[in-house]
Every structure is written in C-alpha cells, then in structure tokens.
Amino acid sequence: MRILRVLRSSVSIGKDIDFYSKFSPSPLSMKQFLDFGSENACERTSFAFLRQELPVRLANIMKEINLLPDNLLRTPSVRLVQSWYVQSLEEILEFKERNADDEKVTFDFTDAVIKIRNRHNDVIPTMAQGVVEYKEAYGTDPIVSQNVQYFLDRFYMSRISIRMLLNQHTLLFGGKVKVNPAHPKQIGSIDPNCRVSEVLKDAYENARNLCDRYYMNSPELVLEEFNVKDAGKPVTVVYVPSHLYQMVFELFKNAMRATMELYGDSIEYPPIHAQVALGHEDLTVKVSDGGGGVPLRKIDRLFTYTYSTAPRPSIEESRAAPLAGYGYGLPISRLYARYFQGDLKLYSLEGHGTDAVIYIRALSTESIERLPVYNKSVWKHYKTIHEADDWCVPSKEPKDMTTFRSV
C-alpha cells in the first residue's frame, strides 16, 4: 500500500509539473518589488501571487533538469536536489485552494515559505557535487560539458529568482517585528538608497581579513566615486545589497589572490583600485588589480563551472578557507549581475593585471528579472546534435611545408 501511495504521488506531481511548466514566469522589476513592499505591503496579496508564481518557476526548471544526461540524473547529489524541488512544489500546491482571507492560512503559508527557503540553502554546493560525481565516474565530454554549463547558468539563475521571492515575503511578513532593526530602511532585501561604496568597503575588509589569514598580508584599496547624476554626493542605487556584496567580495578575493601570488614575499604590493561611476543609465563598478592578468584564451574558462586556477580545497581541512578553489565564484557572481539586466565582464592585460567590471541598471524601472523559461528552444538545445565547427581550427604545430608535394 505504501508503494502504491508513493507511485500515485509521483504520478500526481508529474502532472502538476507538466501543467505549471506550460506557463512562463512573470518577471518583476526592482520598482515593482519596491512599490509593493513600501506602499501596498499586504500579506494576502503576496500569498495570492506566490502560490501561483512559485509553482511556475519551480516547474519550469524541474522540466529542464530532466533533460540532463541520465547518468548525471542518477548521481546521489542531483537526486537529492530533485527531491528538494519536488517536496517544495508539493508544499506550495497545498495552498492552491486555501482561503487567502484566513489569517491562519497566510501564517501557515509564510511558515512553509521559510521552511522551503531553508531547505534550499545548500542547492548550489549539492548540485556542484553532483557534477563532480558525474565527471569522476564518466569523465568529460565536450557536448555534455556545454549542456551542463548551459543548464547550470539557467538553474542557478532560477534559484536566485525563487530565493528573491521567498526572501521578500519572509522579510516583510515572517516576523513579529516588521522593520529589520539592522537595516531599518530596507524594503525586504532591497535598499532604496544602497550606498555602493559602503558595500564595497565592507566586502574589501572581509576579503582582506581572509587574505591576511591565508597570506599574512594584503594589498590596500584605492576607492574613487564619480557621480554624474548628482555631482559631489555619494553614489546610491535601488538594489539588493547582498547581491552587490556577493559580486564585489568575489572580485576582491580574486584580485588579492592574484596580487599576493605574483609578488610572493614582497614587502609592498600594488593596491587594488575600485571605481564607482553613476551615469544616467548605468551604475558601473570596476575593480582593477596588478596581479599579472590572464591570457585571452583563459578568460572564457574563468566563467566555466568547476574551472579554477587554484587547487580544490579539501572539505576536511580545518585551517582557514582559501581565497579560491571551487570555481563557482565568478559564474555565480555574473548571474547576480545579470539577474536584474546587468552584467559582469573581465578585461585582462596579461603581464600586468585584470579589470573586472560590474554593470547595474541605474533606473529601478529597467532593473527587471531575467528568468529562464522552459520551451521548445530549450529542448532543442539539449537534444540537437552539435555539428562540426564551421571555422577552421588551427593546429598546435604549424604545417611543415617542406613535405608538401604539388600535384
């Protein structure tokens, strides 16, 4: 009987996934997040939206997971992640027909949202472990690697968007205290007047502490601001401070590691330069180091999951965490930048250093969620057989023309 119930449950959730994946997610702008939280913060409205939107976002990415290679889907870690998503979808669908005017229903929903958020805390490292398990068992294949890269970009972007919805709801309605005493001016996770330089300084200090523990020294920071919109005043933007922190902390870590390893036991190190510029359309943050740079052929690899120029640290290590090693920092940071229609790019001068540039939309009306959607184009991407390159691939060794014979 228990097996029968499990089979019925799996068939039922499969139908739900098929149903909700037919709908496209509804992207929200930063201004919509802000207006809802500041002017019309109604728990019932949030409940009504989330019980419709969360299943759509979950189902879209769950359909895409099933397009991965069977051997990858069979790894323990990927199966665990799938079970989390199935359980979360089931818990949300329990509120499908519940009365939004019942306070107990909205309370229970908020409690369920908190549980779902906590359940998904380790999605990134667990899925990463699944990829490692697959590669160790079956090796690497160029086509599979390309599809996994494509999938992880979309999967992690979906996770960022789902977590944004969960965090907004729990921060606005999940506690007895409606105003966060640590960040009283924030609307949920969004700061309407995020002081960019303050976030940069905080990220630098934490990266510096890590660098000091690992290398016994660290480069200084030179920070400059350019405010075209309001000259002489600090640069502020409507943004999620934790997202900005994630990005610049990663860039500072990379810059420090490159600098320290290039200069070794030197007494002095070139400083890290950070520039913040606010224009009419873009907020730009540039982090520059003198750490020797990387060759052009390696730039794209830096955004590849599991690629790292540092050795992977052992989980059992009890010493301080190193500044690099797992290879997820840059690609995840780029997703945070792209989530609200921005970007993160690297420009390197091999032999000198690297410039990392973050672009953020200056206007909250243009900062709109970038969300993956499951459709035929996605299916074709995974199932299409990739043909040979239509550009010639140069050989590593030049052809010996002395052996060439004319006909």
Side-chain angles (χ1 to χ4, degrees), residues 293-334:
V294 293
L296 177 63
R297 66 181 176 85
K298 288 187 177 181
I299 289 292
D300 288 340
R301 293 186 203 172
L302 297 177
F303 289 105
T304 303
Y305 296 98
T306 70
Y307 175 84
S308 177
T309 56
R312 181 180 299 153
S314 170
I315 296 176
E316 289 79 17
E317 286 180 352
S318 58
R319 60 177 299 180
L323 295 188
Y326 288 103
Y328 272 54
L330 274 177
I332 293 292
S333 294
R334 184 168 67 174

Side-chain angles (χ1 to χ4, degrees), residues 64-224:
E64 198 161 333
I65 291 177
N66 290 329
L67 296 179
L68 292 172
D70 290 339
N71 289 330
L72 179 55
L73 290 175
R74 292 191 191 103
T75 60
S77 296
V78 174
R79 291 174 65 181
L80 178 60
V81 170
Q82 281 187 298
S83 71
W84 290 341
Y85 274 71
V86 168
Q87 186 176 351
S88 297
L89 179 59
E90 288 176 334
E91 290 175 3
I92 291 295
L93 292 180
E94 288 179 6
F95 294 89
K96 181 180 176 181
E97 305 296 337
R98 304 280 291 274
N99 183 9
D101 294 323
D102 188 335
E103 287 188 6
K104 186 178 186 308
V105 171
T106 54
F107 177 84
D108 289 343
F109 179 78
T110 300
D111 189 49
V113 164
I114 292 172
K115 289 178 181 177
I116 291 170
R117 184 192 63 185
N118 294 339
R119 177 184 302 128
H120 289 242
N121 279 341
D122 293 328
V123 161
I124 291 179
T126 307
M127 180 60 77
Q129 181 60 32
V131 175
V132 171
E133 291 166 3
Y134 172 80
K135 288 188 174 182
E136 288 178 348
Y138 302 100
T140 57
D141 174 81
I143 294 177
V144 171
S145 295
Q146 183 179 339
N147 285 341
V148 168
Q149 176 74 20
Y150 174 81
F151 166 76
L152 290 178
D153 269 341
R154 296 167 60 81
F155 177 73
Y156 290 140
M157 183 68 89
S158 172
R159 179 186 182 273
I160 290 171
S161 77
I162 291 170
R163 203 160 187 82
M164 182 72 184
L165 295 181
L166 299 178
N167 279 336
Q168 283 300 103
H169 186 84
T170 54
L171 289 171
L172 289 171
F173 310 112
K176 296 179 180 179
V177 180
K178 295 303 179 184
V179 178
N180 185 347
H183 306 282
K185 295 182 180 179
Q186 285 191 192
I187 308 299
S189 59
I190 301 171
D191 190 341
N193 295 286
C194 178
R195 295 278 292 268
V196 178
S197 289
E198 295 303 314
V199 177
L200 263 67
K201 290 175 183 176
D202 187 28
Y204 167 77
E205 288 299 330
N206 287 331
R208 184 179 192 175
N209 289 337
L210 195 59
C211 188
D212 286 337
R213 290 165 60 188
Y214 201 70
Y215 293 103
M216 304 303 174
N217 210 332
S218 56
E220 296 294 328
L221 174 67
V222 177
L223 178 61
E224 297 178 280

